[in-house]
Amino acid sequence: MLGEENLKLEAGSLESPKMPTLLYRYTKLEYLELILKGRGLFFPKLSSFNDPFDANIFLSFRATKAERRKFYDAMLKSFGMSRAERKQRLRKTKDQVDGDLLEEAHAKTIRETRAGCGVLCLAESQSDILMWSHYGDRHTGVCLIFDTGNDFFHQARRVVYQRDYPVISFRWFSEKMTDALGVNGDAKKSAAQFAIDSALFLTKAEHWKYEAEWRIAQKFPRPLRNRENGIFFPFPAHSLVGVVIGANADEASVATVRNWIDAGPLRPQLLRARVSKTKFALDISEQG
């Protein structure tokens, strides 16, 4: 549980390790054409992910009346209310604050954050057999190679893998939300938002550890339309430095990808994954 008793430990665990020079994105061939034509990178909504446990957090609302009222006061302060106005509002809503008002507010915040954000999933390896099977369209798709030396990819954070669900205590979440509302200054606001996003987006079951995943979360600029699973976001064109074609892709697919690259405007290096002749592995080399 993320609580006062282990807040120091958890805060440290939310810091990502040093970012790799390159990160990879496995995807289907059909998405590559859109990316090469400058459409951007697709950030899907969390509910479309293949893991029902993803971003599935639980809140523990054990808190004293004083803690509840302190958080409610901070919320009202962030709305620009004066001290006198806040006292008057608290007197009117005291029973609700002591009851389930804040539980509903916390749950609403999490729902809105999940619904209003897209997440780009990246990997540390271009040759993982399972990643190609699960996300590279059974080795018929592609793996995109990105240079991370730019502001866009510096947003990426490493996923934490653990056995248990992340359970967020009322005290921890209230403190972070208070800071995220900007009540205690911009520096704390940024750090708190990162901590909340980390708890929401960056914790997965240890079964997925082989993915060695990094994630970038972006807020959607508008509500999603019906049947819309996400939104394309622009990225630095020069950061796409390579495209690896899967080992099971046919020659027609290889020719199609080459034509897309030749047409520009993006011109990444074209590579090919091939089944190793000596071990259970993939060899990556330049496509002739």
Side-chain angles (χ1 to χ4, degrees):
M1 178 182 293
L2 294 175
E4 185 178 278
E5 64 280 358
N6 61 353
L7 183 58
K8 183 176 181 180
L9 172 63
E10 292 291 347
S13 69
L14 295 177
E15 297 175 4
S16 283
K18 185 178 179 180
M19 181 175 294
T21 304
L22 299 174
L23 285 174
Y24 306 92
R25 169 72 174 172
Y26 295 85
T27 189
K28 295 181 178 180
L29 196 64
E30 61 196 68
Y31 290 119
L32 176 62
E33 182 179 16
L34 297 174
I35 294 168
L36 291 175
K37 289 183 175 180
R39 181 79 178 273
L41 290 175
F42 189 68
F43 281 66
K45 60 183 181 181
L46 280 167
S47 60
S48 68
F49 283 19
N50 62 354
D51 178 11
F53 301 97
D54 212 334
N56 194 6
I57 68 169
F58 291 85
L59 299 178
S60 173
F61 288 102
R62 289 174 295 187
T64 66
K65 291 182 179 180
E67 289 171 339
R68 290 169 176 266
R69 293 173 185 179
K70 180 180 178 181
F71 175 67
Y72 187 61
D73 181 72
M75 279 198 341
L76 298 180
K77 184 178 180 180
S78 73
F79 299 152
M81 289 188 179
S82 67
R83 186 174 181 180
E85 289 172 326
R86 300 199 305 270
K87 282 187 175 182
Q88 184 179 12
R89 175 67 68 86
L90 182 58
R91 280 196 297 268
K92 290 182 178 179
T93 59
K94 183 173 62 175
D95 291 341
Q96 289 176 284
V97 173
D98 293 342
D100 59 5
L101 177 66
L102 295 187
E103 283 88 334
E104 294 173 1
H106 281 59
K108 182 174 182 289
T109 297
I110 290 174
R111 287 197 306 271
E112 290 177 349
T113 300
R114 292 188 67 199
C117 287
V119 176
L120 178 69
C121 303
L122 303 159
E124 293 182 2
S125 171
Q126 63 180 333
S127 56
D128 188 279
I129 295 174
L130 285 178
M131 293 293 283
W132 273 105
S133 298
H134 295 160
Y135 305 107
D137 202 13
R138 295 170 296 180
H139 296 257
T140 65
V142 294
C143 179
L144 311 178
I145 306 174
F146 293 104
D147 182 343
T148 62
N150 54 76
D151 290 343
F152 180 86
F153 284 100
H154 282 175
Q155 302 174 82
R157 296 292 180 265
R158 183 71 152 81
V159 169
V160 175
Y161 302 96
Q162 59 189 50
R163 185 188 64 183
D164 299 320
Y165 284 126
V167 180
I168 298 179
S169 72
F170 180 92
R171 179 179 299 178
W172 184 90
F173 193 60
S174 296
E175 288 176 353
K176 297 304 175 187
M177 277 299 298
T178 298
D179 288 341
L181 290 169
V183 174
N184 298 318
D186 290 338
K188 285 192 173 183
K189 179 178 180 179
S190 177
Q193 190 59 59
F194 170 62
I196 293 171
D197 289 348
S198 296
L200 283 170
F201 301 124
L202 300 180
T203 306
K204 293 185 68 173
E206 59 186 10
H207 303 76
W208 300 95
K209 194 171 184 178
Y210 75 91
E211 292 185 343
E213 185 180 349
W214 290 69
R215 287 182 167 184
I216 300 176
Q218 296 275 24
K219 290 184 179 179
F220 292 139
R222 56 170 176 77
L224 297 182
R225 304 184 185 96
N226 290 338
R227 298 184 180 181
E228 201 173 25
N229 284 327
I231 290 178
F232 284 89
F233 283 87
F235 71 98
H238 64 273
S239 64
L240 179 61
V241 295
V243 174
V244 184
I245 301 177
N248 282 342
D250 56 30
E251 291 306 313
S253 296
V254 175
T256 296
V257 173
R258 186 184 299 279
N259 290 336
W260 288 342
I261 292 176
D262 289 344
L266 305 187
R267 295 184 178 276
Q269 182 184 22
L270 184 60
L271 302 106
R272 185 71 186 270
R274 294 179 173 86
V275 174
S276 171
K277 296 180 180 179
T278 60
K279 55 186 175 180
F280 290 109
L282 294 170
D283 296 327
I284 308 294
S285 60
E286 188 172 355
Q287 173 64 35

